């Protein structure tokens, strides 16, 4: 499959796209769903650096925690439930 060309986007664009994608994913977020979201973000034109910056921000705010460090899968915390679905 061909990837879309990287586009110039603001950091907020990546954060908004990822938040909407997590919000529309099944609840609770199933194992393996977040690594797929990261891959979809790259296919949508966001850089890996941008998506990982969003993840770092979410971790710092306590919205999620890393469930698997190798795949970068996450678990949504109570604060994350309020952020994504509240």
């Amino acid at each position: 499959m061909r990837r879309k060309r990287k586009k110039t986007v603001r950091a907020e664009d990546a954060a908004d796209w990822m938040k909407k994608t997590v919000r529309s994913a099944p609840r609770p977020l199933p194992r393996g769903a977040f690594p797929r979201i990261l891959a979809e973000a790259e296919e949508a034109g966001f850089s890996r650096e941008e998506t990982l910056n969003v993840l770092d921000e979410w971790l710092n705010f306590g919205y999620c925690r890393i469930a698997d460090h190798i795949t970068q899968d996450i678990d949504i915390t109570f604060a994350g439930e309020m952020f994504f679905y509240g």
Side-chain angles (χ1 to χ4, degrees):
M1 176 171 24
R2 237 175 122 174
R3 289 187 183 201
K4 291 184 179 179
R5 206 173 103 201
K6 300 288 184 230
K7 55 187 172 185
T8 305
V9 294
R10 298 174 307 144
E12 296 83 24
D13 295 335
D16 289 344
W17 187 93
M18 289 176 61
K19 181 179 178 183
K20 289 175 188 172
T21 305
V22 169
R23 182 182 294 150
S24 65
R27 281 197 241 173
L29 195 63
R31 291 278 183 230
F34 193 70
R36 283 192 300 276
I37 289 170
L38 290 174
E40 288 173 19
E42 284 188 68
E43 289 174 12
F46 299 104
S47 73
R48 186 72 167 173
E49 181 181 1
E50 290 167 332
T51 59
L52 293 179
N53 286 343
V54 172
L55 176 59
D56 285 343
E57 188 175 295
W58 292 351
L59 289 166
N60 288 333
F61 287 129
Y63 298 151
C64 62
R65 65 181 152 266
I66 298 291
D68 185 326
H69 291 278
I70 295 171
T71 64
Q72 296 171 319
D73 207 359
I74 62 170
D75 288 324
I76 305 294
T77 63
F78 178 75
E81 290 279 333
M82 302 309 293
F83 173 71
F84 293 111
Y85 313 116

